[in-house]
Amino acid sequence: MNVSDLVSCFSENAVNVSHSSCSSYSNNACISPNLAPSIQNSVSSVYKTIISNQKQLLITVTWCKSHSNQGLTISFGDEEPVAAAFRLNTNSRFFRKKKGSKLLESDESKVEVFWDLSNAKYDTGPEPVDGFYVAILVDAELGLILGDMAEEAVTKKLKTRTLLAKVSLLSRREHCSGNTLYTTKAQFCDTGTLHDILIRCSGENEGLKSPVLSVCIDKKTVIRVKRLQWNFRGNQTIFVDGLLVDLLWDVHNWFFNPASGYAVFMFRTRSGLDSRLWLEEKSTLKDKDRVEFSLLIYACKSR
């Protein structure tokens, strides 16, 4: 089955992000207005690491930021709720030194965390963008390392260690608050490129009769939903880097439960031979043979 067959099978309106002639939408909706995007309050990434003895471990790394607190939490496993095994925050002496290591004991593995945030630089969100590293050793193997100082950390601090584990990013969850303009980046597969994603809800204050939702990837509109107050839930199939991606949105609370205020957007890859949407599947986190990626955005309209 080739790509053109897949398009007709899954959706007549499927959009191929990598092919400029596939989209019938205007790129004008992708142009960011003179409005600052909403702020990320927390970012959680779930990694699957498989070490040399074929032991599999899920590692959740969460960066958070508020007016009074900024920190890092790392947890292990897939049981719900997942208990935090490692936590740093500005209220602790641990975080203030911004560099160190900690040994964690668990029932199945010996885990050691090394970190250096002493020169970390941040953008507007809680996640550092450069000048840092976080390294996690699982049973004396380097299971996960994050940050632009990763190579330096391996060769100097952990010079006797090598990255034996196979690591895959399974999901990324972002919590944002502010207006209805959201920007982020996502890599939908290990070999894919990093894509710019923009989500924007335009309203009456921009001369529109009713709210319109636009989702853009690399400045190209992949969906445009008119009369959003009546089309507050839906899904669209798109192609990114040759992958089928389900794009789902739910903005019900924006209109009918403003006290909550949260909208939800999801991008999730799936196999080309799998015709089911993500909500019809059981969790893939426990499936060792499948590697899929999902980006989940919780968007709070606070102003």
Side-chain angles (χ1 to χ4, degrees):
M1 181 177 292
N2 57 37
V3 172
S4 60
D5 293 332
L6 288 174
V7 173
S8 62
C9 286
F10 288 102
S11 173
E12 294 180 356
N13 298 316
V15 176
N16 188 344
V17 174
S18 62
H19 196 293
S20 60
S21 64
C22 289
S23 175
S24 59
Y25 301 115
S26 168
N27 282 336
N28 293 335
C30 294
I31 301 175
S32 177
N34 295 323
L35 182 67
S38 290
I39 301 299
Q40 289 180 346
N41 302 315
S42 69
V43 177
S44 294
S45 298
V46 179
Y47 300 88
K48 180 172 71 173
T49 180
I50 303 176
I51 57 179
S52 58
N53 61 1
Q54 296 304 306
K55 181 187 294 185
Q56 173 180 306
L57 181 65
L58 295 182
I59 303 174
T60 302
V61 179
T62 301
W63 303 89
C64 61
K65 181 180 181 180
S66 66
H67 294 295
S68 59
N69 185 36
Q70 183 169 355
L72 165 67
T73 300
I74 302 175
S75 55
F76 304 90
D78 57 357
E79 299 297 330
E80 295 291 346
V82 178
F86 176 79
R87 189 188 302 273
L88 297 175
N89 59 67
T90 54
N91 296 325
S92 72
R93 296 178 182 176
F94 227 20
F95 189 84
R96 286 173 183 167
K97 70 177 186 178
K98 297 185 179 181
K99 183 177 181 180
S101 63
K102 184 177 181 181
L103 180 64
L104 308 173
E105 295 289 346
S106 68
D107 295 336
E108 298 181 355
S109 301
K110 178 181 177 181
V111 179
E112 195 169 6
V113 179
F114 294 84
W115 73 93
D116 186 349
L117 303 174
S118 55
N119 296 310
K121 296 180 177 62
Y122 298 83
D123 200 348
T124 57
E127 194 174 20
V129 293
D130 58 44
F132 79 103
Y133 76 83
V134 176
I136 300 174
L137 272 63
V138 182
D139 294 334
E141 292 185 25
L142 188 55
L144 178 66
I145 189 161
L146 306 173
D148 63 312
M149 293 171 58
E151 183 176 350
E152 178 182 347
V154 171
T155 56
K156 291 184 179 180
K157 182 69 176 180
L158 308 173
K159 57 185 178 181
T160 62
R161 317 291 186 177
T162 57
L163 185 58
L164 300 178
K166 178 181 179 182
V167 181
S168 299
L169 176 60
L170 296 183
S171 68
R172 180 178 171 91
R173 183 173 67 250
E174 302 180 4
H175 286 255
C176 309
S177 62
N179 50 49
T180 56
L181 175 65
Y182 308 91
T183 61
T184 189
K185 295 179 181 291
Q187 184 175 341
F188 291 93
C189 64
D190 293 338
T191 58
T193 58
L194 194 64
H195 296 278
D196 292 309
I197 296 176
L198 183 147
I199 301 172
R200 179 187 176 196
C201 182
S202 307
E204 290 83 352
N205 59 340
E206 298 179 54
L208 302 176
K209 294 182 179 179
S210 61
V212 174
L213 174 68
S214 300
V215 178
C216 308
I217 299 180
D218 298 336
K219 298 183 180 180
K220 181 176 181 180
T221 307
V222 294
I223 68 166
R224 183 172 171 82
V225 184
K226 299 180 179 179
R227 297 183 179 180
L228 187 60
Q229 68 271 41
W230 307 118
N231 298 297
F232 50 80
R233 293 191 184 104
N235 65 83
Q236 171 76 56
T237 302
I238 63 177
F239 281 86
V240 183
D241 297 332
L243 298 171
L244 274 171
V245 178
D246 291 320
L247 195 169
L248 302 99
W249 67 92
D250 184 345
V251 297
H252 175 274
N253 285 344
W254 276 1
F255 298 102
F256 304 107
N257 189 14
S260 171
Y262 274 98
V264 181
F265 304 92
M266 173 177 268
F267 300 78
R268 183 162 187 234
T269 62
R270 56 172 156 144
S271 166
L273 300 179
D274 189 351
S275 62
R276 297 169 297 175
L277 286 173
W278 71 274
L279 50 83
E280 295 174 299
E281 301 177 5
K282 295 181 180 179
S283 173
T284 61
L285 294 183
K286 297 181 181 180
D287 189 339
K288 297 182 180 180
D289 298 325
R290 300 180 64 183
V291 177
E292 296 181 348
F293 170 77
S294 63
L295 169 64
L296 187 62
I297 300 173
Y298 290 91
C300 180
K301 186 173 67 170
S302 57
R303 62 180 184 269

